[in-house]
Amino acid sequence: MTTEPLLLTSLQRRTIYRTIVRDRAPLARPTAEYRLGTRVLESVQLYAVPQEVAVEVPEIRAYKYMVVNDRIVLIDPATSEVVAEVAD
């Protein structure tokens, strides 16, 4: 079953990006090109969405993320699929 892309407003995207970047999330080395619907490898380190972001944007509470090439990539942990990309 494929995960549907996550629809986020501009404000939600800014909140996610600024909070995670401000918290200095570790950067992942781009070992692949991550696009909507692609699966990430199990070996990729994913992080829980910070509580501050989950409160502001509850729609992403269940997702994991990684930072690649100055983009935040949101992943559905149930399917390992990319559901959204957030850039500055």
Side-chain angles (χ1 to χ4, degrees):
M1 178 178 182
T2 301
T3 305
E4 290 294 317
L6 185 62
L7 300 176
L8 299 168
T9 67
S10 295
L11 178 59
Q12 289 173 321
R13 288 177 175 280
R14 281 194 304 275
T15 300
I16 293 165
Y17 189 85
R18 288 183 180 149
T19 304
I20 289 176
V21 167
R22 185 189 66 225
D23 289 348
R24 302 273 187 235
L27 301 176
R29 288 188 310 200
T31 55
E33 190 166 335
Y34 300 105
R35 292 190 174 146
L36 288 177
T38 60
R39 291 180 190 261
V40 297
L41 299 174
E42 287 184 25
S43 60
V44 172
Q45 176 69 52
L46 301 177
Y47 300 92
V49 171
Q51 182 63 29
E52 181 180 347
V53 176
V55 168
E56 293 287 324
V57 189
E59 297 88 343
I60 70 168
R61 183 183 309 269
Y63 297 109
K64 301 285 186 184
Y65 77 92
M66 64 181 172
V67 180
V68 181
N69 294 332
D70 295 321
R71 291 183 353 240
I72 296 164
V73 180
L74 293 172
I75 294 107
D76 181 342
T79 63
S80 298
E81 289 183 3
V82 174
V83 294
E85 293 179 41
V86 180
D88 188 18

Coordinates of all heavy atoms in Angstrom, one line a residue:
M1 N 0.8 -1.2 0.0 CA 0.0 0.0 0.0 C 0.9 1.2 0.0 O 1.8 1.4 0.8 CB -0.9 0.0 1.2 CG -1.8 1.2 1.4 SD -2.8 1.0 2.8 CE -3.7 2.5 2.6
T2 N 0.6 2.1 -0.9 CA 1.4 3.4 -1.0 C 0.8 4.4 -0.1 O -0.4 4.6 -0.1 CB 1.5 3.8 -2.5 OG1 2.0 2.8 -3.3 CG2 2.3 5.1 -2.6
T3 N 1.7 5.2 0.5 CA 1.3 6.3 1.4 C 1.0 7.5 0.5 O 1.7 7.8 -0.4 CB 2.4 6.6 2.4 OG1 2.8 5.4 3.1 CG2 2.0 7.7 3.3
E4 N -0.1 8.2 0.9 CA -0.4 9.4 0.1 C 0.5 10.5 0.5 O 0.9 10.6 1.7 CB -1.9 9.8 0.5 CG -2.9 8.9 0.0 CD -3.0 9.0 -1.6 OE1 -2.9 10.1 -2.1 OE2 -3.1 7.9 -2.2
P5 N 0.8 11.4 -0.4 CA 1.7 12.6 0.0 C 1.0 13.4 1.1 O -0.3 13.5 1.1 CB 1.8 13.4 -1.3 CG 1.5 12.4 -2.4 CD 0.5 11.4 -1.8
L6 N 1.8 14.0 1.9 CA 1.2 14.8 3.0 C 1.1 16.2 2.5 O 2.0 16.8 2.0 CB 2.2 14.8 4.2 CG 1.9 15.5 5.4 CD1 0.6 14.8 6.0 CD2 3.0 15.4 6.4
L7 N -0.1 16.8 2.7 CA -0.4 18.2 2.2 C -0.2 19.1 3.4 O -0.8 19.0 4.4 CB -1.8 18.3 1.7 CG -2.2 17.4 0.5 CD1 -3.7 17.5 0.2 CD2 -1.3 17.7 -0.7
L8 N 0.8 20.0 3.2 CA 1.1 21.0 4.2 C 1.0 22.4 3.7 O 1.3 22.7 2.6 CB 2.6 20.8 4.7 CG 2.9 19.4 5.3 CD1 4.4 19.2 5.4 CD2 2.2 19.3 6.6
T9 N 0.5 23.3 4.6 CA 0.4 24.7 4.2 C 1.8 25.4 4.2 O 2.8 24.8 4.8 CB -0.5 25.5 5.2 OG1 0.2 25.6 6.4 CG2 -1.9 24.9 5.3
S10 N 1.9 26.5 3.6 CA 3.2 27.3 3.7 C 3.7 27.5 5.1 O 4.8 27.4 5.4 CB 3.1 28.6 2.9 OG 2.8 28.3 1.6
L11 N 2.7 27.9 6.0 CA 3.1 28.2 7.4 C 3.6 26.9 8.0 O 4.5 27.0 8.8 CB 1.8 28.8 8.1 CG 2.1 29.1 9.6 CD1 3.2 30.1 9.8 CD2 0.8 29.6 10.2
Q12 N 2.9 25.8 7.8 CA 3.3 24.6 8.4 C 4.7 24.2 7.9 O 5.6 23.8 8.7 CB 2.4 23.4 8.1 CG 1.0 23.6 8.8 CD 0.0 22.5 8.3 OE1 -0.1 22.2 7.1 NE2 -0.8 22.0 9.2
R13 N 5.0 24.4 6.6 CA 6.3 24.1 6.1 C 7.4 24.9 6.7 O 8.4 24.5 7.1 CB 6.3 24.3 4.6 CG 5.5 23.2 3.8 CD 5.5 23.5 2.3 NE 4.8 22.4 1.7 CZ 5.4 21.2 1.4 NH1 6.7 21.0 1.7 NH2 4.8 20.2 0.8
R14 N 7.1 26.2 6.9 CA 8.1 27.1 7.5 C 8.3 26.7 9.0 O 9.5 26.7 9.4 CB 7.6 28.6 7.5 CG 7.8 29.2 6.1 CD 7.7 30.8 6.2 NE 6.4 31.2 6.7 CZ 5.3 31.3 5.9 NH1 5.3 31.0 4.6 NH2 4.1 31.7 6.5
T15 N 7.3 26.4 9.7 CA 7.4 26.0 11.1 C 8.3 24.7 11.2 O 9.2 24.7 12.0 CB 6.0 25.7 11.7 OG1 5.2 26.9 11.6 CG2 6.1 25.2 13.1
I16 N 8.0 23.7 10.4 CA 8.8 22.5 10.4 C 10.2 22.8 10.1 O 11.1 22.4 10.8 CB 8.2 21.5 9.4 CG1 6.8 21.0 9.8 CG2 9.2 20.3 9.2 CD1 6.0 20.3 8.7
Y17 N 10.5 23.5 9.0 CA 11.9 23.8 8.6 C 12.6 24.6 9.6 O 13.7 24.2 10.0 CB 11.9 24.5 7.2 CG 13.2 24.6 6.6 CD1 13.7 23.6 5.9 CD2 14.0 25.7 6.9 CE1 15.0 23.6 5.3 CE2 15.3 25.8 6.3 CZ 15.8 24.8 5.6 OH 17.1 24.8 5.0
R18 N 12.1 25.7 10.1 CA 12.8 26.5 11.0 C 13.1 25.8 12.3 O 14.1 26.0 12.9 CB 12.0 27.8 11.2 CG 12.1 28.7 10.0 CD 11.4 30.0 10.3 NE 11.5 30.9 9.1 CZ 10.6 31.7 8.7 NH1 9.5 31.9 9.5 NH2 10.7 32.4 7.6
T19 N 12.1 25.1 12.8 CA 12.3 24.4 14.1 C 13.4 23.3 14.0 O 14.3 23.2 14.8 CB 11.0 23.8 14.6 OG1 10.0 24.8 14.7 CG2 11.2 23.2 16.0
I20 N 13.3 22.5 13.0 CA 14.3 21.4 12.9 C 15.6 21.9 12.5 O 16.6 21.5 13.1 CB 13.8 20.4 11.8 CG1 12.6 19.6 12.4 CG2 14.9 19.4 11.4 CD1 11.9 18.6 11.5
V21 N 15.7 22.9 11.7 CA 17.1 23.5 11.3 C 17.6 24.2 12.6 O 18.8 24.1 12.9 CB 17.0 24.5 10.1 CG1 18.2 25.3 10.0 CG2 16.7 23.6 8.9
R22 N 16.8 24.9 13.3 CA 17.3 25.6 14.5 C 17.8 24.6 15.5 O 18.8 24.9 16.2 CB 16.1 26.4 15.1 CG 16.6 27.3 16.3 CD 15.5 27.9 17.1 NE 14.7 26.9 17.7 CZ 13.4 26.8 17.7 NH1 12.7 27.8 17.1 NH2 12.7 25.9 18.3
D23 N 17.2 23.4 15.6 CA 17.6 22.4 16.6 C 18.8 21.7 16.1 O 19.3 20.7 16.7 CB 16.5 21.4 16.8 CG 15.3 22.0 17.6 OD1 15.5 23.1 18.2 OD2 14.3 21.4 17.7
R24 N 19.3 22.1 14.9 CA 20.6 21.5 14.4 C 20.4 20.0 14.1 O 21.2 19.2 14.6 CB 21.8 21.8 15.3 CG 22.0 23.3 15.5 CD 22.9 23.8 14.4 NE 23.2 25.2 14.7 CZ 23.0 26.2 13.8 NH1 22.4 25.9 12.7 NH2 23.4 27.4 14.2
A25 N 19.4 19.6 13.4 CA 19.3 18.2 13.1 C 20.5 17.7 12.4 O 21.0 18.4 11.5 CB 18.0 18.0 12.3
P26 N 20.9 16.5 12.7 CA 22.0 15.9 11.9 C 21.7 15.7 10.5 O 20.6 15.4 10.1 CB 22.2 14.5 12.6 CG 21.5 14.6 13.9 CD 20.4 15.6 13.7
L27 N 22.7 16.0 9.6 CA 22.5 15.9 8.2 C 22.8 14.5 7.7 O 23.8 13.9 8.2 CB 23.4 16.9 7.4 CG 23.3 18.3 7.8 CD1 24.3 19.2 7.1 CD2 21.9 18.8 7.4
A28 N 22.0 14.0 6.8 CA 22.2 12.7 6.3 C 23.0 12.8 5.0 O 22.8 13.8 4.3 CB 20.9 12.0 6.0
R29 N 23.9 11.9 4.7 CA 24.6 11.9 3.5 C 23.6 11.5 2.4 O 23.0 10.4 2.5 CB 25.8 11.0 3.5 CG 26.9 11.6 4.4 CD 28.1 10.8 4.2 NE 27.8 9.4 4.4 CZ 28.6 8.5 4.7 NH1 29.9 8.7 4.9 NH2 28.3 7.2 4.9
P30 N 23.6 12.2 1.3 CA 22.7 11.8 0.2 C 23.2 10.5 -0.5 O 24.0 10.6 -1.4 CB 22.6 13.0 -0.7 CG 23.9 13.7 -0.5 CD 24.3 13.4 1.0
T31 N 22.7 9.4 -0.1 CA 23.1 8.1 -0.7 C 22.1 7.7 -1.8 O 22.4 6.8 -2.6 CB 23.1 7.0 0.3 OG1 21.9 6.9 1.0 CG2 24.2 7.2 1.4
A32 N 21.0 8.4 -1.9 CA 20.0 8.2 -2.9 C 19.3 9.5 -3.1 O 19.4 10.4 -2.4 CB 19.1 7.1 -2.5
E33 N 18.5 9.5 -4.2 CA 17.6 10.7 -4.4 C 16.3 10.4 -3.8 O 15.6 9.4 -4.1 CB 17.5 11.0 -5.9 CG 16.8 12.3 -6.1 CD 17.0 12.8 -7.6 OE1 17.9 12.3 -8.2 OE2 16.1 13.5 -8.0
Y34 N 15.9 11.2 -2.8 CA 14.6 11.0 -2.1 C 13.5 11.8 -2.7 O 13.6 13.1 -2.7 CB 14.8 11.3 -0.6 CG 15.8 10.4 0.0 CD1 17.1 10.9 0.3 CD2 15.6 9.0 0.2 CE1 18.1 10.0 0.8 CE2 16.5 8.2 0.7 CZ 17.8 8.7 1.0 OH 18.7 7.9 1.6
R35 N 12.5 11.2 -3.2 CA 11.3 11.9 -3.8 C 10.1 11.4 -3.2 O 10.1 10.3 -2.6 CB 11.3 11.7 -5.3 CG 12.4 12.4 -6.1 CD 12.1 12.3 -7.6 NE 13.1 13.1 -8.2 CZ 13.6 12.7 -9.4 NH1 13.2 11.7 -10.0 NH2 14.5 13.5 -10.0
L36 N 9.0 12.1 -3.4 CA 7.7 11.6 -2.8 C 7.4 10.2 -3.3 O 7.6 9.9 -4.5 CB 6.6 12.5 -3.3 CG 6.5 13.9 -2.6 CD1 5.4 14.7 -3.2 CD2 6.3 13.8 -1.2
G37 N 7.1 9.3 -2.4 CA 6.7 7.9 -2.7 C 7.9 7.0 -2.8 O 7.6 5.8 -2.8
T38 N 9.1 7.5 -2.7 CA 10.2 6.5 -2.7 C 10.4 6.0 -1.3 O 10.1 6.6 -0.3 CB 11.5 7.2 -3.2 OG1 11.9 8.3 -2.4 CG2 11.4 7.6 -4.7
R39 N 11.0 4.8 -1.2 CA 11.3 4.2 0.1 C 12.7 4.5 0.5 O 13.6 4.5 -0.4 CB 11.1 2.7 0.0 CG 9.6 2.3 -0.2 CD 9.5 0.8 -0.2 NE 8.1 0.4 -0.6 CZ 7.2 0.1 0.3 NH1 7.5 0.0 1.5 NH2 6.0 -0.2 -0.1
V40 N 12.9 4.7 1.8 CA 14.2 4.9 2.3 C 14.7 3.5 2.8 O 13.9 2.7 3.2 CB 14.3 5.9 3.4 CG1 13.9 7.3 2.9 CG2 13.4 5.5 4.6
L41 N 16.0 3.3 2.7 CA 16.6 2.1 3.2 C 16.5 2.0 4.7 O 16.5 3.0 5.4 CB 18.1 2.0 2.8 CG 18.4 2.0 1.3 CD1 19.9 2.1 1.0 CD2 17.8 0.8 0.6
E42 N 16.4 0.8 5.2 CA 16.4 0.6 6.7 C 17.6 1.1 7.4 O 17.5 1.4 8.6 CB 16.2 -0.9 7.0 CG 14.8 -1.4 6.6 CD 14.6 -2.9 7.1 OE1 15.3 -3.4 8.0 OE2 13.8 -3.5 6.5
S43 N 18.7 1.1 6.7 CA 20.0 1.6 7.3 C 20.0 3.1 7.5 O 20.9 3.6 8.2 CB 21.2 1.1 6.4 OG 21.0 1.7 5.1
V44 N 19.1 3.8 6.9 CA 19.1 5.3 7.0 C 18.6 5.7 8.4 O 17.6 5.2 8.9 CB 18.2 5.9 5.9 CG1 18.0 7.4 6.2 CG2 18.7 5.7 4.6
Q45 N 19.3 6.6 9.1 CA 18.9 7.1 10.4 C 17.8 8.1 10.3 O 18.0 9.1 9.6 CB 20.1 7.7 11.1 CG 19.8 8.3 12.5 CD 19.5 7.3 13.5 OE1 20.3 6.3 13.7 NE2 18.4 7.4 14.2
L46 N 16.7 7.8 10.9 CA 15.5 8.7 10.9 C 15.3 9.2 12.4 O 15.7 8.5 13.3 CB 14.3 7.9 10.5 CG 14.3 7.3 9.1 CD1 13.0 6.5 8.8 CD2 14.6 8.4 8.0
Y47 N 14.7 10.3 12.5 CA 14.5 11.0 13.7 C 13.0 11.3 14.0 O 12.3 11.5 13.1 CB 15.3 12.3 13.8 CG 16.8 12.1 13.6 CD1 17.4 12.1 12.3 CD2 17.6 11.7 14.7 CE1 18.7 11.9 12.2 CE2 18.9 11.5 14.5 CZ 19.5 11.5 13.3 OH 20.8 11.3 13.1
A48 N 12.7 11.3 15.3 CA 11.3 11.6 15.6 C 11.1 13.1 15.4 O 12.0 13.9 15.6 CB 11.0 11.2 17.1
V49 N 9.9 13.5 15.1 CA 9.6 14.9 14.9 C 9.6 15.5 16.3 O 9.1 15.0 17.3 CB 8.1 15.0 14.3 CG1 7.7 16.5 14.3 CG2 8.1 14.5 12.9
P50 N 10.3 16.7 16.4 CA 10.4 17.3 17.7 C 9.0 17.7 18.3 O 8.1 18.0 17.5 CB 11.2 18.6 17.4 CG 12.0 18.3 16.2 CD 11.1 17.4 15.4
Q51 N 8.9 17.6 19.6 CA 7.6 17.9 20.2 C 7.1 19.2 19.8 O 5.9 19.4 19.6 CB 7.7 17.7 21.7 CG 6.4 18.0 22.5 CD 5.4 16.9 22.2 OE1 5.7 15.8 21.8 NE2 4.1 17.3 22.3
E52 N 7.9 20.2 19.8 CA 7.5 21.6 19.4 C 6.8 21.7 18.1 O 5.8 22.3 17.9 CB 8.7 22.5 19.5 CG 8.4 24.0 19.1 CD 9.6 24.9 19.2 OE1 10.7 24.4 19.7 OE2 9.5 26.0 18.7
V53 N 7.4 20.9 17.1 CA 6.8 20.9 15.8 C 5.5 20.1 15.8 O 4.5 20.5 15.2 CB 7.8 20.2 14.7 CG1 7.1 20.1 13.4 CG2 9.0 21.1 14.7
A54 N 5.5 19.0 16.5 CA 4.3 18.1 16.6 C 3.1 18.9 17.2 O 1.9 18.7 16.8 CB 4.5 16.9 17.4
V55 N 3.3 19.8 18.1 CA 2.3 20.6 18.7 C 1.7 21.6 17.6 O 0.5 21.8 17.5 CB 2.8 21.3 19.9 CG1 1.8 22.4 20.4 CG2 3.0 20.3 21.0
E56 N 2.7 22.2 16.9 CA 2.3 23.2 15.9 C 1.7 22.6 14.6 O 0.8 23.2 14.0 CB 3.5 24.0 15.5 CG 4.1 24.9 16.6 CD 3.2 26.1 16.8 OE1 2.6 26.7 15.9 OE2 3.1 26.5 18.0
V57 N 2.2 21.4 14.3 CA 1.7 20.7 13.0 C 1.4 19.3 13.4 O 2.2 18.4 13.1 CB 2.8 20.8 11.9 CG1 2.2 20.3 10.6 CG2 3.3 22.2 11.8
P58 N 0.2 19.0 14.1 CA -0.1 17.7 14.6 C -0.1 16.6 13.5 O 0.0 15.5 13.7 CB -1.4 17.9 15.3 CG -1.9 19.2 15.0 CD -0.8 20.0 14.4
E59 N -0.4 17.1 12.2 CA -0.5 16.1 11.1 C 0.8 15.3 10.9 O 0.8 14.2 10.4 CB -0.8 16.8 9.8 CG -2.1 17.5 9.8 CD -2.0 19.0 10.3 OE1 -1.0 19.3 11.0 OE2 -3.0 19.7 10.0
I60 N 1.9 15.8 11.4 CA 3.2 15.1 11.1 C 3.7 14.3 12.4 O 4.8 13.7 12.3 CB 4.3 16.0 10.6 CG1 4.8 17.0 11.7 CG2 3.8 16.8 9.4 CD1 6.0 17.7 11.3
R61 N 2.9 14.3 13.4 CA 3.4 13.7 14.7 C 3.8 12.3 14.5 O 4.8 11.9 15.1 CB 2.2 13.8 15.7 CG 2.5 13.2 17.1 CD 1.3 13.2 17.9 NE 0.6 14.5 18.0 CZ 0.9 15.5 18.8 NH1 1.8 15.3 19.7 NH2 0.2 16.6 18.8
A62 N 3.2 11.5 13.7 CA 3.5 10.1 13.5 C 4.7 9.8 12.6 O 5.2 8.7 12.5 CB 2.3 9.3 13.1
Y63 N 5.2 10.8 11.9 CA 6.2 10.6 10.9 C 7.6 10.8 11.5 O 7.8 11.3 12.6 CB 6.0 11.6 9.8 CG 4.8 11.4 9.0 CD1 3.7 12.3 9.1 CD2 4.6 10.3 8.2 CE1 2.5 12.1 8.4 CE2 3.4 10.1 7.6 CZ 2.4 11.0 7.7 OH 1.2 10.8 7.0
K64 N 8.6 10.3 10.8 CA 10.0 10.4 11.1 C 10.6 11.4 10.0 O 9.9 11.7 9.0 CB 10.7 9.1 11.0 CG 10.2 8.0 12.0 CD 10.6 8.3 13.4 CE 10.1 7.2 14.3 NZ 10.4 7.4 15.6
Y65 N 11.8 11.9 10.3 CA 12.4 12.8 9.3 C 13.9 12.5 9.2 O 14.5 11.9 10.1 CB 12.1 14.2 9.6 CG 12.9 14.8 10.8 CD1 14.1 15.4 10.5 CD2 12.5 14.7 12.1 CE1 14.9 15.9 11.5 CE2 13.3 15.2 13.1 CZ 14.5 15.8 12.8 OH 15.3 16.3 13.8
M66 N 14.5 13.1 8.2 CA 15.9 13.2 8.0 C 16.2 14.5 7.3 O 15.3 15.0 6.6 CB 16.5 12.0 7.3 CG 16.1 11.8 5.9 SD 16.9 10.3 5.3 CE 16.1 10.2 3.7
V67 N 17.4 15.0 7.3 CA 17.7 16.2 6.6 C 18.8 15.9 5.6 O 19.8 15.3 5.9 CB 18.3 17.3 7.6 CG1 18.7 18.6 6.8 CG2 17.3 17.6 8.7
V68 N 18.4 16.2 4.3 CA 19.3 15.9 3.2 C 19.4 17.1 2.3 O 18.3 17.6 1.8 CB 18.8 14.6 2.4 CG1 19.7 14.3 1.2 CG2 18.6 13.4 3.2
N69 N 20.6 17.5 2.0 CA 20.8 18.7 1.1 C 19.9 19.9 1.4 O 19.2 20.4 0.6 CB 20.5 18.3 -0.4 CG 21.6 17.3 -0.9 OD1 22.7 17.3 -0.4 ND2 21.2 16.4 -1.8
D70 N 19.9 20.2 2.7 CA 19.1 21.4 3.2 C 17.6 21.2 3.0 O 16.9 22.2 3.0 CB 19.6 22.7 2.5 CG 21.0 23.1 2.9 OD1 21.3 22.9 4.1 OD2 21.7 23.5 2.1
R71 N 17.1 20.0 2.9 CA 15.7 19.7 2.8 C 15.4 18.7 3.9 O 16.1 17.8 4.2 CB 15.4 19.0 1.5 CG 15.5 19.8 0.3 CD 15.1 19.1 -1.0 NE 14.9 17.7 -0.8 CZ 15.5 16.7 -1.4 NH1 16.5 16.9 -2.2 NH2 15.2 15.4 -1.1
I72 N 14.2 18.9 4.5 CA 13.7 18.0 5.5 C 12.8 17.0 4.7 O 11.9 17.4 4.0 CB 12.9 18.7 6.6 CG1 13.9 19.6 7.3 CG2 12.3 17.8 7.5 CD1 13.3 20.7 8.1
V73 N 13.1 15.7 4.9 CA 12.4 14.7 4.2 C 11.5 14.0 5.3 O 12.1 13.4 6.2 CB 13.3 13.7 3.5 CG1 12.5 12.6 2.8 CG2 14.2 14.5 2.5
L74 N 10.2 14.0 5.1 CA 9.3 13.3 6.1 C 9.0 11.9 5.6 O 8.7 11.8 4.4 CB 8.0 14.1 6.3 CG 8.2 15.5 7.0 CD1 6.9 16.2 6.9 CD2 8.6 15.3 8.4
I75 N 9.1 11.0 6.5 CA 8.9 9.6 6.1 C 7.8 8.9 7.0 O 7.8 9.1 8.2 CB 10.3 8.8 6.3 CG1 11.3 9.3 5.3 CG2 10.1 7.3 6.0 CD1 12.3 10.1 5.9
D76 N 7.0 8.1 6.3 CA 6.0 7.3 7.0 C 6.7 6.1 7.6 O 7.2 5.3 6.8 CB 4.9 6.9 6.1 CG 3.8 6.1 6.8 OD1 4.0 5.5 7.9 OD2 2.7 6.0 6.2
P77 N 6.9 5.9 8.9 CA 7.6 4.8 9.4 C 7.0 3.4 9.1 O 7.7 2.4 9.1 CB 7.7 5.1 10.9 CG 6.6 6.0 11.2 CD 6.4 6.8 9.9
A78 N 5.7 3.4 8.9 CA 5.0 2.2 8.6 C 5.4 1.6 7.2 O 5.4 0.4 7.0 CB 3.5 2.3 8.7
T79 N 5.6 2.5 6.3 CA 5.9 2.1 4.9 C 7.4 2.4 4.5 O 7.8 2.0 3.4 CB 5.0 2.7 3.9 OG1 5.1 4.1 4.0 CG2 3.5 2.3 4.2
S80 N 8.1 3.3 5.2 CA 9.4 3.8 4.9 C 9.3 4.6 3.6 O 10.4 4.8 3.0 CB 10.4 2.6 4.7 OG 10.5 1.9 5.9
E81 N 8.2 5.2 3.3 CA 8.0 6.0 2.1 C 8.1 7.5 2.4 O 7.6 7.9 3.5 CB 6.7 5.7 1.4 CG 6.7 4.4 0.7 CD 5.4 4.1 0.0 OE1 4.5 5.0 -0.1 OE2 5.2 3.0 -0.6
V82 N 8.7 8.3 1.5 CA 8.7 9.7 1.6 C 7.3 10.3 1.4 O 6.7 10.0 0.4 CB 9.7 10.3 0.6 CG1 9.7 11.8 0.7 CG2 11.1 9.8 0.9
V83 N 6.8 11.0 2.4 CA 5.5 11.6 2.2 C 5.5 13.1 2.0 O 4.5 13.7 1.6 CB 4.6 11.3 3.5 CG1 4.3 9.8 3.6 CG2 5.2 11.8 4.7
A84 N 6.7 13.8 2.3 CA 6.8 15.2 2.0 C 8.2 15.6 2.1 O 9.0 15.0 2.7 CB 6.0 16.0 3.1
E85 N 8.5 16.7 1.4 CA 9.8 17.4 1.5 C 9.6 18.8 1.8 O 8.6 19.4 1.3 CB 10.5 17.3 0.1 CG 10.9 16.0 -0.4 CD 11.6 16.0 -1.7 OE1 12.4 16.9 -2.0 OE2 11.3 15.2 -2.6
V86 N 10.4 19.3 2.7 CA 10.3 20.7 3.2 C 11.6 21.4 3.0 O 12.6 20.9 3.5 CB 9.8 20.8 4.6 CG1 9.6 22.2 5.1 CG2 8.5 20.0 4.8
A87 N 11.6 22.5 2.3 CA 12.8 23.3 2.1 C 12.6 24.7 2.5 O 11.4 25.1 2.6 CB 13.3 23.2 0.6
D88 N 13.6 25.5 2.7 CA 13.5 26.9 3.1 C 12.9 27.7 1.9 O 13.1 27.5 0.8 CB 14.9 27.4 3.4 CG 14.8 28.8 4.0 OD1 13.7 29.2 4.5 OD2 15.8 29.5 4.0

